[in-house]
């Protein structure tokens, strides 16, 4: 390959340097401010394993890529540590190299097009999605950089298919596919392009060299796919899901994918991502303005190389193929298509500018507005994960004798990263053995097995914290929270973006301070036989609640799913605190009871923060939720003195 010659203008090297440094600054800005998402925590934990263990795991595990990324991060972590910024530094640096590599690629294909390559570099520098994934502790920007190197090497391969070029081309592709096997789509694009050239030129020696380069490029990943048991499992699932599990039309899927690629809101796409569609006309204009003239030249001159076809294939073919694999394919898997998309957008801007200056300025303004809005969203409104914030809250308020449960176990890598001091103590729902470094796929919860575990935890710990994320994977019926509500005092669930934290107080560690025997029958079916106001524990969070046990008897099988309303009223009869719930929670609503059933119910009554001192009556009522009609009079079960001991 010829050496890079940037001396086409005395100012161009400075412009490229400014774009690269500016892009690097964007990618390093607040790089450690956001907490790790699940995949990033997987990067961190797996990088702590021995290299041989990393290779073995990726060989056997489904939905894992070849091990090059984790091996790279194992070495990187040894030198730079594993805080959020250190884990993301390598992707940020790789993301910055995409800027000059894009410039270099366009310079190789069209040496005379100075404005085109500079606009392409500028758009890549400001691309919201490329900035976002430059701050993700994953392999995606490394794949993009290697993809550009592969395309640059392809230029040399198409013009000078000598052995060193073939080996360089294949070596780059080995690295690229070693990081992410979806990048074989790019090698497919390159193979199609070289096939078109070979068919038109009828140059058999070149065709054999090109074929050899493609085969050599695919050899390592093909062997991995052919032999690795984990890939076989992955392929089986992907093939079974083709055309299924996706209710979107092809057009709707491509629309969402395009917004993800051009705006950058990958996980939670905001409505504002629609502005990414503005780039589509620029890309279309750029493709038409370059591909049509190339087609004319290629038709009349067999030796001509239609480079715009390569750019168009690299930009659009991965998007079109993604429709086939829609349920399994995310935008980040085809991130390597983005530089080609921005090269076409830059071509559109340049073509418009050559028609008239106002048109060119309008095209440039549209592209820059998309970049500005996407970057503004990412650096202000976007949140990747709030597991770190949840972990800080739990660390601040959990007492050493309180249990912690992961509901579901998939989150254990995040737990080990952010809660290392308790990671070995946590219990999982369902109960599974947690590997030290690797992800885990847990089976569905079996209620008959889980209830005893929960009861044992409440019998031996004064409180149970439940960390809730990805729970639908193991407990679609929500057995765990429903069961805990039936057998413990549920205080509150604090919610963050992608995780919740619930606290349940064990009734075994509370003592009665006031009790009564109301013996009041509601609806002719449900009798309140006893009530007790419990001693408030010393935990700082418990001061915001009052704990009440209500004892129920089904005189006959209930015909309504009654709701209990527990209230605290002041001396004027005004309600100052209230909680409404099934008698023992949603797991067993009253209509599931049988005549003669005796069941205790546990209710934690939340208190307002500004409640003044004084005496407050605690009353209980029962009503029919279907009509709101009361099933009897309220009954007073005690008096609470605020500022007192209870």
């Amino acid at each position: 390959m010829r050496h890079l010659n940037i001396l086409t203008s005395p100012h161009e090297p400075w412009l490229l340097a400014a774009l690269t440094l500016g892009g690097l600054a964007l990618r390093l800005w607040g790089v450690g401010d956001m907490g790790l998402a699940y995949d990033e925590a997987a990067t961190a934990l797996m990088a702590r394993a021995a290299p041989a263990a990393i290779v073995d795991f990726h060989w056997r595990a489904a939905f894992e890529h070849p091990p090059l990324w984790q091996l790279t991060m194992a070495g990187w972590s040894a030198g730079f540590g594993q805080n959020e910024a250190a884990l993301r530094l390598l992707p940020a640096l790789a993301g910055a190299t995409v800027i000059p590599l894009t410039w270099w690629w366009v310079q190789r294909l069209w040496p005379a097009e100075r404005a085109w390559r500079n606009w392409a570099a500028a758009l890549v520098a400001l691309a919201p999605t490329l900035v976002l994934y430059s701050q993700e502790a994953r392999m995606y920007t490394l794949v993009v950089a290697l993809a550009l190197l592969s395309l640059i090497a392809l230029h040399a391969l198409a013009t000078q298919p000598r052995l060193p070029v073939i080996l360089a081309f294949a070596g780059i592709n080995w690295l690229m596919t070693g990081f992410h096997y979806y990048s074989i789509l790019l090698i497919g694009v390159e193979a199609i392009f070289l096939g078109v050239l070979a068919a038109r030129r009828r140059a058999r020696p070149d065709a054999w060299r090109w074929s050899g380069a493609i085969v050599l490029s695919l050899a390592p990943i093909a062997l991995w796919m052919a032999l690795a048991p984990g890939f076989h499992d992955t392929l089986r699932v992907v093939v079974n899901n083709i055309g299924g599990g996706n209710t979107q039309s092809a057009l709707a899927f491509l629309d969402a994918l395009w917004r993800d690629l051009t705006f950058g809101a990958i996980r939670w796409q905001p409505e504002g991502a629609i502005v990414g569609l503005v780039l589509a006309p620029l890309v279309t204009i750029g493709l038409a303005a370059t591909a049509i003239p190339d087609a004319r030249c290629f038709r009349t001159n067999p030796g001509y190389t239609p480079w715009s076809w390569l750019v168009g294939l690299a930009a659009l073919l991965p998007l079109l193929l993604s429709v086939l694999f829609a349920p399994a394919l995310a935008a980040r898997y085809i991130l390597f298509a983005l530089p080609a998309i921005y090269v076409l957008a830059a071509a559109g801007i340049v073509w418009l500018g050559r028609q008239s200056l106002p048109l060119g300025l309008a095209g440039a303004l549209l592209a820059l507005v998309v970049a500005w809005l996407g970057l503004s969203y990412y650096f202000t409104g976007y949140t990747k994960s709030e597991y770190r914030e949840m972990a800080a809250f739990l660390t601040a308020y959990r007492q050493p004798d309180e249990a912690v449960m992961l509901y579901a176990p998939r989150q254990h890598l995040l737990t080990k990263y952010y809660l290392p001091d308790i990671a070995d103590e946590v219990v999982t729902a369902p109960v599974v053995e947690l590997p030290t470094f690797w992800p885990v796929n847990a089976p569905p919860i079996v209620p008959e097995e889980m209830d005893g575990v929960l009861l044992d935890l409440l019998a031996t710990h004064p409180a149970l914290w439940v960390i809730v994320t990805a729970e639908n994977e193991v407990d679609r019926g929500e057995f765990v929270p429903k069961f805990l509500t039936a057998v413990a005092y549920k205080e509150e669930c604090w919610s963050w973006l992608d995780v919740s934290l619930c606290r349940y107080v064990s009734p075994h560690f509370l003592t009665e301070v006031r009790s009564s025997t109301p013996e009041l029958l509601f609806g002719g079916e449900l009798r309140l036989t006893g009530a007790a106001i419990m001693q408030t524990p010393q935990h700082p969070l418990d001061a915001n609640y009052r704990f009440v046990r209500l004892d129920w008897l089904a005189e006959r099988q209930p015909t309504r799913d009654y709701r209990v309303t527990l209230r605290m009223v002041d001396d004027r009869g005004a309600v100052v605190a209230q909680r409404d719930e099934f008698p023992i929670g949603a797991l067993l609503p009253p209509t599931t009871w049988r005549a003669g059933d005796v069941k205790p119910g546990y209710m934690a009554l939340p208190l307002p923060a500004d409640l003044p001192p004084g005496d407050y009556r605690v009353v209980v009522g029962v009503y029919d939720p279907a009509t709101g009609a009361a099933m009897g009079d309220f009954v007073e079960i005690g008096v609470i003195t605020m500022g007192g001991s209870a």
Side-chain angles (χ1 to χ4, degrees):
M1 290 184 286
R2 298 193 304 269
H3 68 281
L4 173 61
N5 178 18
I6 62 172
L7 300 178
T8 54
S9 164
H11 303 297
E12 194 169 9
W14 295 104
L15 176 60
L16 179 60
L19 289 173
T20 302
L21 291 175
L24 176 61
L26 267 180
R27 286 151 176 80
L28 293 177
W29 183 269
V31 70
D33 289 353
M34 293 189 189
L36 298 185
Y38 170 79
D39 285 350
E40 295 181 290
T43 290
L45 269 293
M46 286 194 277
R48 298 175 186 178
I54 291 174
V55 173
D56 181 70
F57 171 77
H58 286 77
W59 180 258
R60 300 179 185 279
F63 295 99
E64 294 293 339
H65 295 280
L68 186 54
W69 165 247
Q70 288 302 153
L71 292 171
T72 301
M73 287 306 295
W76 181 269
S77 298
F80 294 92
Q82 283 207 332
N83 62 47
E84 288 96 336
L87 288 168
R88 294 169 179 155
L89 180 58
L90 180 59
L93 295 174
T97 66
V98 170
I99 302 165
L101 287 174
T102 301
W103 184 97
W104 187 13
W105 184 35
V106 180
Q107 192 269 346
R108 297 304 302 269
L109 303 186
W110 297 282
E113 294 289 350
R114 182 161 57 92
W116 187 354
R117 60 178 173 260
N118 289 325
W119 269 112
L123 294 181
V124 165
L126 298 173
T129 302
L130 290 176
V131 172
L132 185 155
Y133 278 107
S134 293
Q135 296 196 343
E136 181 104 347
R138 297 294 288 166
M139 75 289 286
Y140 305 113
T141 54
L142 278 77
V143 173
V144 176
L146 288 166
L148 283 165
L149 284 173
S150 177
L151 290 165
I152 292 167
L154 180 71
H155 176 273
L157 182 65
T159 55
Q160 304 173 24
R162 299 191 300 249
L163 181 60
V165 174
I166 292 172
L167 294 178
F169 176 77
I172 292 168
N173 285 334
W174 290 352
L175 291 174
M176 181 176 67
T177 54
F179 279 113
H180 202 290
Y181 54 67
Y182 273 100
S183 58
I184 61 173
L185 291 176
L186 181 67
I187 301 177
V189 165
E190 294 170 330
I192 292 171
F193 182 74
L194 291 174
V196 170
L197 294 185
R200 180 70 173 116
R201 294 178 181 177
R202 302 183 184 277
R204 185 168 297 179
D206 286 352
W208 280 109
R209 294 186 185 100
W210 293 337
S211 299
I214 294 296
V215 171
L216 190 60
S217 294
L218 291 172
I221 192 64
L223 286 172
W224 180 272
M225 291 177 171
L227 300 176
F231 180 79
H232 297 167
D233 295 337
T234 303
L235 185 62
R236 190 178 305 112
V237 174
V238 171
V239 170
N240 290 338
N241 285 338
I242 290 178
N246 183 32
T247 57
Q248 288 181 307
S249 67
L251 185 60
F253 175 78
L254 282 174
D255 171 52
L257 184 63
W258 182 267
R259 297 186 194 198
D260 280 348
L261 285 169
T262 55
F263 188 84
I266 305 303
R267 288 185 173 85
W268 296 278
Q269 189 182 87
E271 293 182 1
I274 193 173
V275 300
L277 297 176
V278 169
L279 286 180
L282 288 176
V283 171
T284 303
I285 292 170
L287 181 61
T290 55
I292 293 174
D294 273 359
R296 293 172 182 155
C297 294
F298 192 52
R299 186 170 58 249
T300 58
N301 180 6
Y304 183 80
T305 304
W307 293 117
S308 64
W309 294 12
L310 172 64
V311 178
L313 283 170
L316 302 180
L317 189 60
L319 273 71
L320 297 176
L321 288 177
S322 68
V323 175
L324 181 64
F325 301 99
L329 192 65
R332 59 188 180 272
Y333 295 167
I334 56 170
L335 207 65
F336 56 81
L338 265 180
I341 289 173
Y342 282 111
V343 167
L344 292 176
I349 292 172
V350 171
W351 185 87
L352 289 172
R354 288 172 180 169
Q355 309 313 303
S356 75
L357 181 60
L359 280 177
L361 291 175
L365 182 62
L366 286 176
L368 293 176
V369 165
V370 173
W372 170 259
L373 292 175
L375 291 172
S376 297
Y377 169 75
Y378 176 63
F379 284 111
T380 58
Y382 180 78
T383 302
K384 183 178 299 187
S385 170
E386 290 185 329
Y387 203 96
R388 179 177 64 181
E389 287 71 19
M390 180 282 301
F393 181 90
L394 178 61
T395 300
Y397 287 103
R398 174 185 172 266
Q399 301 296 323
D401 56 350
E402 296 177 343
V404 178
M405 170 171 281
L406 304 185
Y407 173 55
R410 181 176 181 265
Q411 62 182 291
H412 82 100
L413 297 176
L414 280 162
T415 306
K416 288 177 177 177
Y417 186 86
Y418 282 118
L419 295 165
D421 294 338
I422 67 168
D424 294 334
E425 305 172 18
V426 298
V427 181
T428 64
V431 177
V432 295
E433 183 178 354
L434 296 177
T436 305
F437 306 114
W438 318 120
V440 62
N441 292 316
I445 283 174
V446 178
E448 294 79 7
E449 297 175 357
M450 200 68 226
D451 55 2
V453 174
L454 297 171
L455 290 174
D456 288 345
L457 288 171
L458 293 172
T460 54
H461 298 84
L464 172 62
W465 296 85
V466 180
I467 306 176
V468 185
T469 185
E471 69 280 6
N472 285 341
E473 296 179 2
V474 296
D475 191 16
R476 292 187 180 275
E478 299 181 340
F479 170 78
V480 168
K482 290 178 180 178
F483 184 82
L484 285 172
T485 302
V487 298
Y489 296 98
K490 179 183 179 180
E491 287 191 336
E492 185 175 348
C493 288
W494 298 268
S495 295
W496 290 265
L497 176 70
D498 53 343
V499 62
S500 297
L501 180 65
C502 302
R503 187 169 185 269
Y504 298 86
V505 175
S506 170
H508 302 292
F509 291 79
L510 302 186
T511 57
E512 298 180 9
V513 293
R514 294 178 183 86
S515 62
S516 60
T517 54
E519 291 295 341
L520 188 64
L521 186 64
F522 294 98
E525 299 175 337
L526 195 63
R527 182 178 297 277
L528 180 62
T529 61
I533 299 174
M534 315 303 289
Q535 179 73 37
T536 303
Q538 296 302 308
H539 193 287
L541 291 177
D542 295 336
N544 301 320
Y545 296 87
R546 290 300 179 264
F547 301 91
V548 176
R549 189 191 74 240
L550 302 174
D551 299 321
W552 299 99
L553 167 66
E555 292 278 359
R556 62 172 185 258
Q557 183 169 7
T559 57
R560 298 181 179 91
D561 282 329
Y562 300 105
R563 296 296 198 280
V564 176
T565 178
L566 177 66
R567 302 178 181 181
M568 196 160 76
V569 297
D570 61 18
D571 54 4
R572 295 175 299 174
V575 177
V576 297
Q578 179 175 341
R579 188 161 207 161
D580 290 23
E581 182 57 272
F582 288 107
I584 64 166
L587 182 65
L588 292 174
T591 53
T592 65
W593 298 13
R594 294 175 296 181
D597 280 353
V598 175
K599 299 181 184 296
Y602 305 100
M603 298 187 74
L605 183 65
L607 304 181
D610 57 351
L611 192 63
D615 292 336
Y616 296 87
R617 294 183 299 118
V618 180
V619 298
V620 176
V622 174
Y623 63 93
D624 180 357
T627 63
M631 294 291 101
D633 295 331
F634 279 91
V635 57
E636 181 178 322
I637 61 171
V639 175
I640 291 177
T641 300
M642 295 305 298
S645 59

